Each structure stands twice: as structure tokens, then as C-alpha cells.
Amino acid sequence: MSQSTLPAADCVLVAQEGAVRVLTLNRPQALNAFTATMLAHLRQALDDAAHDRAVRAVLVSGAGRAFCAGQDLSDPLIKPEADQPPKDIGHLLDHYYIPLALRLRSMPVPVVCAVNGVAAGAGANFALGCDLVVAAQSASFIQAFSKIGLIPDCGGSWLLTRLVGRARARQLALLGDKLPADQAQSWGLIARCVPDDQLAAEGMALAQRLAAMPTKALVETRRILDEALELNLEDALKLEARLQSQLGFAHDYQEGVNAFLDKRAPQYKDR
Ligand code: T3D
């Protein structure tokens, strides 16, 4: 299938392959570390994908040998300067990381992350915030924050314990050691670890597969899996019933059942 390149800022490349919007973090000389400009473009690219009804899944990856080294520590917005008072780095979180993490969580389509190399700091937590994470064998995840005197951000404080439990979350966040992709998979931090030369194909295959599925049901599945963690059983059952009732009125449920009964492939279109 041909990949057409759409207009975009250089630091985040945007392309379309079938119903999949492909976003590539593109500052390989700095291991795709996030500058404020890049964070703004990434959020805009996610907004654009969310608003384009031709998009049924998003695939995010990185250019070069890394996925993303987290916040660019040389960005003038946060870089400490001699003889100047410390800068308020909370500003960066309020204006860039919080909206980015929330945008990811509220995407109306599933988001697959193909982690092609090291994912550190906010780069790791942005990846882990995606719906399905597939990583190359040579990739790794680093909660680099403690090494520079910070706490996990970009959703890390919320995600880590949920993904790997208290002991492993603390080990990752306190020590800031590199977790190889195969161990990340065996710990349940990510969905899959694949040979390096299969990453691009595997990421695209997952995204294409999700793009052909009933999008609304996938997005509500994401929602209930997160929300149910905070609920007691009875409230979770009630939320299941409410969402199931809504989905039951949608085209895709009617189509799924009819296709099953007709012994044909379903054609889903809700978003
Ligand atoms: O203000 C705030 O900080 C709040 C927000 C926080 C969110 C965060 O993400 S905090 C965490 C920030 N990230 C880090 O602390 C990771 C820093 N990077 C590293 O520890 C290492 O680079 C890696 C373990 C990721 C990879 O190591 P390695 O040996 O494979 O590569 P390298 O040689 O260290 O890096 C290659 C180049 O990328 C190098 O530039 P050069 O010397 O070739 O010109 C290096 O400076 C640059 N680079 C890597 N990470 C960053 C970076 N430049 C700017 N910011 C980075 N985060």
C-alpha cells in the first residue's frame, strides 16, 4: 500500500496509510527528545487525526535509533541558566504534557505505539499511554526522572502501578534503570516485543487490524478498563450495562451480528 505524505511540521511527520494515520517523531539527532514546539505539533497531529473521520487508528513511532528521550533538557524553556533564578517547569507540564496525555486518552480511535529504540522519561510514558505498545527487541524503557531530581510525569505516576504493580513500579521509578523490551513484555508493561526487523510491519499490522474493527466499541473498552479500576463491582456492572446499551443502538453492533449470521465479513463504519 502506498504511503502519502501530508503537510506537517518537520519534527512530527504525518502520513496516511489506508485508514491508519502514521505519526513519526522526527528529531533523531536528539533521540527525538520533546521540545515545546514538538509537543505542540504532536498534540496538533493527534487533534487532526481525531477530527478526520477517514482515520480509524493511529500509529506512532520514532525516526532513527530512538523512540524518544523525553523532555529535551536543552530547551530554553526549562534549561537552567547560571545567575538566573530557576524556571517554573510546572508551566511545561500544564501547557504541554497534561493536554498531550489527556488527548491520547480521549482519542476517538485506538492508538498503537511502535517503540523502535530507547523510550525515556516523558517519551516512555507517552508510549505507555497508547492503547497497544509493540517494541523492537533492541528497544528499552527508562523512567529517567529520578536521575535528574524529578518524579514520573506525562501520566507515569498513574500508569506505572496499574501496569506492573507496586513493587515493579517503584523499582522502575526510583532506580531509573533501563528495562529491556523483552522484560517489559514479560512484566506486562507492553503488549509485544518483536525482532527489530519486524517492528514496522507488526506495528502497521496491529493498527490496520484495529482500524477494521468497531471503533466505538474499542474506545469504550479503553474507557471501561480504566474506569472500572476505580469502581466497586456493582458500579462497574452498571457502567458496563450503560455503555453496552449505547453500543447496542449503534450501526456497528447491528452490522457485527448481521455479518456473523450471514457468514460474511463485517463492514464497520461508526467512529
Ligand atoms: O523540565 C522538565 O524536565 C520537566 C519534564 C520532564 C519530562 C522528562 O522527560 S524528564 C526526563 C528527560 N530525559 C532524560 O533525562 C533522558 C536523557 N537522556 C539519556 O539519559 C540518554 O540520552 C539515553 C539513555 C536516552 C540514551 O543514551 P545513549 O547513550 O544511547 O545516547 P546519548 O549519547 O546520551 O544521546 C545522543 C544524543 O542525544 C546526545 O547529543 P549529542 O551529544 O550527540 O549532540 C544527547 O545529548 C542527546 N539527547 C539525549 N537525550 C536528550 C538529548 N538531548 C536533549 N534532551 C534529552 N532528553
Side-chain angles (χ1 to χ4, degrees), residues 20-39:
V20 176
R21 181 63 51 88
V22 183
L23 307 182
T24 306
L25 308 180
N26 188 40
R27 295 185 66 236
Q29 71 284 4
L31 307 187
N32 302 320
F34 288 134
T35 58
T37 305
M38 185 176 171
L39 288 164

Side-chain angles (χ1 to χ4, degrees), residues 147-205:
K147 292 190 171 162
I148 55 168
L150 295 179
I151 57 163
D153 65 17
C154 198
S157 63
W158 189 86
L159 280 166
L160 286 175
T161 307
R162 284 174 163 78
L163 288 171
V164 296
R166 186 175 187 267
R168 284 172 169 168
R170 285 181 190 224
Q171 185 179 329
L172 290 173
L174 295 178
L175 299 177
D177 286 340
K178 186 179 278 198
L179 186 74
D182 55 353
Q183 202 172 352
Q185 182 189 0
S186 66
W187 280 18
L189 192 73
I190 63 170
R192 291 184 195 175
C193 167
V194 298
D196 288 15
D197 61 359
Q198 290 173 26
L199 180 72
E202 186 77 18
M204 181 54 77

Side-chain angles (χ1 to χ4, degrees), residues 3-49:
Q3 186 161 308
S4 60
T5 303
L6 305 173
D10 284 352
C11 55
V12 180
L13 302 178
V14 181
Q16 185 78 17
E17 191 159 331
V20 176
R21 181 63 51 88
V22 183
L23 307 182
T24 306
L25 308 180
N26 188 40
R27 295 185 66 236
Q29 71 284 4
L31 307 187
N32 302 320
F34 288 134
T35 58
T37 305
M38 185 176 171
L39 288 164
H41 282 296
L42 181 55
R43 186 173 153 208
Q44 184 63 53
L46 289 169
D47 279 345
D48 292 346

